[in-house]
Amino acid sequence: MPASGILYGHPVSQPCRSVQWYLDYSGNTTVERKVVDLMVGAHKLPEYIGKFPHHEIPGFEMEDGFCFAESLAILKHVSAGDETIKPQTARQEARLNEYFGRHYSQVRKFSTDVFFQHILTKNEEKKQAGLVAIKPQLESYNEKLGKQKYILGDKLTLADFLFAPEVDQMEAVGKEVLAPYQNILKYLERLTTDVKGYKECIG
């Protein structure tokens, strides 16, 4: 049975787009989507903090009023029971959990640093430092994607729903950023053509 409830988010947020993409991919029509306007500080208003005390987005409210945040927690909840993205072996599941840990400390941290410095603060020195920091990650995943279709192999998993939106935003910094990583670019193009919802939500 598909998850139901309310997803609170904003399209400028990569973690929000990860969840929105999964909902589109899975054809979920039972989760209501509400925009929280970050640009006017709606995530800091009393009515939002009453549900999400740390004023995070995305946030999810279940039908009984229970609220929780963090994109990974929400993705796990709304994708529970989806065999199309579920690891098939204990080793695959271990790799997926390994990626979950790495995503926030490396991939998301560095890509967000670069994006924010470029779009919001306009700090070229810090942006370049971020590009240096993320280079080993891009090189590693570029090599992997030269051998397999998706982040963890030839099967789509939640790792892809987390990874792709973060890397896709790098093109907003400049086409030259991803130009050396042709396998990543081919991967993003493959998601655009092969995976439902990606083009509309991310690409």
Side-chain angles (χ1 to χ4, degrees):
M1 184 175 180
S4 57
I6 303 172
L7 174 68
Y8 297 87
H10 192 283
V12 77
S13 162
Q14 284 73 43
C16 291
R17 295 206 300 269
S18 289
V19 180
Q20 291 168 350
W21 171 25
Y22 175 77
L23 292 175
D24 285 354
Y25 163 80
S26 63
N28 183 300
T29 59
T30 58
V31 171
E32 180 184 353
R33 306 181 200 191
K34 289 189 175 181
V35 174
V36 179
D37 194 344
L38 299 176
M39 307 310 168
V40 299
H43 59 307
K44 296 182 179 179
L45 293 176
E47 55 265 36
Y48 191 77
I49 294 178
K51 297 177 184 292
F52 307 100
H54 299 284
H55 50 81
E56 302 157 301
I57 63 164
F60 194 89
E61 182 176 359
M62 297 174 68
E63 287 187 308
D64 63 1
F66 177 78
C67 297
F68 63 99
E70 291 293 342
S71 57
L72 178 54
I74 297 170
L75 278 168
K76 286 183 174 181
H77 174 70
V78 297
S79 68
D82 186 348
E83 296 294 328
T84 69
I85 61 168
K86 184 179 179 181
Q88 299 301 301
T89 67
R91 289 187 178 187
Q92 290 173 353
E93 186 164 2
R95 288 297 185 203
L96 180 60
N97 288 325
E98 179 183 56
Y99 178 81
F100 290 157
R102 184 173 293 136
H103 178 77
Y104 291 96
S105 64
Q106 298 177 15
V107 177
R108 172 155 175 74
K109 180 183 184 304
F110 298 141
S111 68
T112 301
D113 285 348
V114 172
F115 184 76
F116 281 178
Q117 298 301 337
H118 178 72
I119 299 295
L120 299 179
T121 66
K122 311 292 185 184
N123 189 315
E124 186 64 24
E125 183 178 349
K126 289 186 178 181
K127 183 182 84 172
Q128 292 303 321
L131 288 171
V132 171
I134 200 173
K135 184 177 179 182
Q137 299 300 312
L138 294 177
E139 289 176 339
S140 175
Y141 287 107
N142 189 65
E143 181 179 355
K144 289 179 180 179
L145 289 166
K147 304 171 185 176
Q148 58 199 41
K149 288 180 64 177
Y150 301 113
I151 294 302
L152 298 184
D154 290 328
K155 179 181 174 65
L156 190 72
T157 67
L158 285 182
D160 298 285
F161 287 91
L162 292 169
F163 178 83
E166 297 295 339
V167 176
D168 183 85
Q169 75 174 344
M170 301 291 287
E171 287 203 290
V173 178
K175 295 287 186 181
E176 71 279 1
V177 174
L178 292 182
Y181 311 107
Q182 288 299 305
N183 293 326
I184 290 178
L185 289 174
K186 291 175 183 176
Y187 161 76
L188 296 176
E189 181 60 30
R190 189 159 55 247
L191 294 177
T192 300
T193 57
D194 295 355
V195 181
K196 182 181 176 182
Y198 179 82
K199 182 178 180 179
E200 292 75 16
C201 289
I202 315 296

